[in-house]
Structures are given as C-alpha cells and as structure tokens.
Amino acid sequence: MSVDPNSLTRIPKHVALIMDGNGRWAQERGLPRIEGHKEGAQSVRALLRAAKQAGVEYLTVYAFSTENWKRPPQEIDGLMKLLIDSLNQYEEELHANQIRLRVMGQFERLPLPVRIRLQKAIDATAHYEGHTFIVALSYGSRTEIADAAKQIAEKVKSGELDPGKIDEQTVSEHLYLPDVPDPELLIRTSGELRLSNFMLWQLSYAEFYITDTFWPDFREEQFFEALEAFNGRDRRYGGVKGE
Ligand code: IPE
Ligand code: IPE
Ligand code: MG
C-alpha cells in the first residue's frame, strides 16, 4: 500500500538525493544512456511536487559531480542540453508550487547557455520562501571544503579572523550555501553504497536510505517510502537512547 505523507509524524527539513542509475535503466531497455537521463529528469519534476506536499523545506539533488567531467564529451553535452530543456519544465513546477531554485557547485565551469538559463530561473524564483530546490552542479564536496579553507585562511591573513576562534560553525559558514540546514536524510538510488564526493561535511549525521530502484523509476511513491523509513529511525547523535 502506498504511504500517505500526511500520516508521518517526523518530516525531514532537508532531504538530499544522489540520483543514480540512469545509464543502467537505459541499458536494461537497450536504449542510449541519454534516454535514461531524460526519464530521470521526469523523476526530478515529480519530486518537486512530492517534497512540497510532504512538507520537506529543502530538496537537494546531485545532478552533476566534479568527477562527472571525466565522462565522454557527447554524454556531457547531452546532459547540459537536457538541463536547459528540463529547466523549462521545472520552472513551471517551481512557480506552481512557489519553490525557490538555487544552485550549488562550480557555477562558472558550466557552459554559458546553461548558466544563462539557470540564472533566469534562479532570479524568477528568488522571492519564494518556505520551499527550496537545490541543484548540485559541477559539485564536489572536497573542493567545497578546500575552498572554505582557502577563504578562512585569507581572513586569518588579513586579520579579520582569529585562528583560535575557528570552529565547526566557521567551516559551515564558508561552504557554498551557509544558510541551508544540514540534510537529515540522504537517499541514493541504484543500490550503490558510497557518497561519491557528495556533501561530506553536511551529511555527518544524516540518515542514509539506499534503494535498488534506478533513478528514472524513483517517483512520488518511492520518495514517500523513504520518508516513512526515516520516520522509523532512532537518531541518537552519539548519545544514549531515550536520554
Ligand atoms: C546518474 O546516472 C546521473 C549522473 C551521474 C549524471 P548515471 O549516469 O551515473 O547512471 P549509471 O550509474 O551509469 O547507471
Ligand atoms: C554520483 O553518481 C554523481 C551524481 C549522481 C551526479 P556517479 O554515477 O557519478 O557516481 P559513481 O561514479 O558511481 O561513484
Ligand atoms: Mg552512476
């Protein structure tokens, strides 16, 4: 039976997703990999609505990693074009549901037409409060942390920051989106048991939900199942049960 998100008592404020398995989904059907990416883009669209319906305030999707630049140029090109096409559809959904779009990663490394299209959608939705959709693009967590270290070092050098006062909060404040709370739930599709350089710092205490479902088959129902699983988790943060 499908899960009713309204029946859940605890809804994570921030859900992060590693969207994986598009290629294998296509391969299983004898289709080119890009067809898997196209169908996967429809899953993203479905989740925008589902997350809002469930009351999830922040939804972050890992769409392209710094390591994904190693893929064949043809696949990268296809993904970038698909991103532009998908944004037309997503923007409709974002306005209909009053969701703000943000991007996390090396924005300047993306092709110009992609940046222009993204910026348009970012600006058009900037006034929406309450629900945020974050797309991680050319994102790598180690680069993000290294960049934060660089910025902190600059501040120390200029005398703006006392090295003795550097703590966890200082590092968090120098990441790409310092105002966004850490994800409480991480979902990875296609059964892989790894982080692939995704939000290493922010996911320190997140609950992991791994499903064998390939990303193009991960829709509302599967998302609500993940939320239900989160509901049943006992989060102790290093403490003792019941304390
Ligand atoms: C995830 O699907 C999408 C991106 C990383 C862009 P993959 O393309 O990694 O699909 P698999 O893992 O090869 O099946
Ligand atoms: C992780 O998927 C990156 C994204 C989902 C964008 P990959 O398919 O690139 O990860 P690996 O190579 O299996 O670790
Ligand atoms: Mg993959």
Side-chain angles (χ1 to χ4, degrees):
M1 218 186 72
S2 59
V3 177
D4 173 7
N6 297 314
S7 70
L8 304 175
T9 48
R10 279 192 314 157
I11 296 290
K13 202 173 179 154
H14 186 175
V15 177
L17 285 131
I18 302 179
M19 314 188 284
D20 202 9
N22 292 351
R24 277 163 284 168
W25 183 92
Q27 197 181 15
E28 265 190 353
R29 288 161 179 77
L31 298 168
R33 290 177 61 84
I34 192 69
E35 293 305 318
H37 296 311
K38 281 185 187 161
E39 199 54 34
Q42 294 309 312
S43 293
V44 175
R45 189 185 185 181
L47 287 205
L48 286 173
R49 238 170 305 154
K52 165 115 190 211
Q53 190 194 339
V56 171
E57 289 177 42
Y58 298 88
L59 186 75
T60 298
V61 297
Y62 201 8
F64 195 85
S65 71
T66 46
E67 289 73 24
N68 288 148
W69 290 114
K70 288 189 291 201
R71 293 195 179 196
Q74 194 194 342
E75 178 162 350
I76 296 176
D77 200 46
L79 279 168
M80 294 298 154
K81 287 201 171 82
L82 177 62
L83 186 57
I84 294 179
D85 290 345
S86 306
L87 274 163
N88 296 329
Q89 292 185 0
Y90 297 167
E91 209 176 319
E92 243 174 69
E93 210 63 60
L94 295 174
H95 286 302
N97 293 287
Q98 307 208 320
I99 302 168
R100 177 182 178 192
L101 172 71
R102 295 178 78 176
V103 168
M104 173 172 84
Q106 302 165 316
F107 192 75
E108 67 295 338
R109 220 175 148 184
L110 301 168
L112 186 62
V114 173
R115 276 184 274 154
I116 290 172
R117 185 63 193 86
L118 277 170
Q119 197 58 56
K120 188 170 159 258
I122 290 168
D123 293 343
T125 61
H127 58 292
Y128 294 136
E129 288 167 17
H131 292 270
T132 306
F133 172 48
I134 300 163
V135 187
L137 281 168
S138 190
Y139 175 86
S141 185
R142 287 184 166 186
T143 300
E144 181 184 32
I145 294 168
D147 285 350
K150 222 182 291 175
Q151 286 180 50
I152 292 167
E154 289 292 344
K155 287 187 181 172
V156 168
K157 197 176 158 199
S158 70
E160 197 183 321
L161 193 64
D162 173 359
K165 295 222 166 76
I166 296 172
D167 57 12
E168 292 181 13
Q169 184 68 21
T170 319
V171 177
S172 292
E173 281 168 4
H174 290 83
L175 299 178
Y176 292 139
L177 302 177
D179 56 310
V180 174
D182 291 342
E184 287 157 273
L185 173 64
L186 170 79
I187 300 172
R188 182 162 188 157
T189 58
S190 89
E192 305 293 358
L193 303 174
R194 54 177 171 265
L195 279 174
S196 303
N197 202 11
F198 189 50
M199 302 184 89
L200 307 178
W201 178 275
Q202 299 92 327
L203 291 170
S204 289
Y205 262 105
E207 293 294 326
F208 285 18
Y209 179 85
I210 313 281
T211 169
D212 285 336
T213 305
F214 291 142
W215 178 252
D217 291 328
F218 192 90
R219 298 287 162 101
E220 288 97 329
E221 198 180 321
Q222 289 72 22
F223 183 68
F224 295 150
E225 277 169 15
L227 294 183
E228 188 184 44
F230 174 83
N231 241 251
R233 299 282 175 93
D234 178 21
R235 306 187 77 204
R236 293 191 290 279
Y237 300 100
V240 177
K241 191 174 167 60
E243 293 291 305

